[in-house]
Amino acid sequence: MKVIKTKGVSFNIVDPFQKRLYEHAARHTNFSAYVKALIQRDMEGGTAAIPSTHTDSVQITKGMLEQFI
């Protein structure tokens, strides 16, 4: 039985909102501890860790979509 479990987080740095998230997260020397603190805060009913809306948007181009094919 594996004792340590991992979850990956991806950031699309073409999206200005996600790029800001990535840059903010990168300022923390221990990303794992930072994410765990956010999860704990959410579990305890603190301020939402994920905003429900944001005003930034990104233009999806054909070239971007072709990367997934």
Side-chain angles (χ1 to χ4, degrees):
M1 180 173 138
K2 191 172 181 180
V3 178
I4 302 293
K5 302 286 185 179
T6 61
K7 289 286 203 181
V9 177
S10 300
F11 297 91
N12 176 359
I13 59 170
V14 175
D15 179 334
F17 176 72
Q18 289 191 38
K19 183 177 181 181
R20 284 198 322 268
L21 292 175
Y22 171 76
E23 290 168 348
H24 179 79
R27 292 190 308 218
H28 296 273
T29 56
N30 187 337
F31 180 75
S32 179
Y34 175 61
V35 170
K36 290 172 187 175
L38 292 175
I39 294 168
Q40 179 183 7
R41 183 177 75 182
D42 185 50
M43 289 171 59
E44 293 172 352
T47 304
I50 302 171
S52 58
T53 61
H54 62 84
T55 58
D56 294 331
S57 63
V58 64
Q59 178 104 22
I60 303 297
T61 66
K62 182 179 177 185
M64 291 167 70
L65 292 175
E66 288 172 345
Q67 293 178 22
F68 294 101
I69 298 174

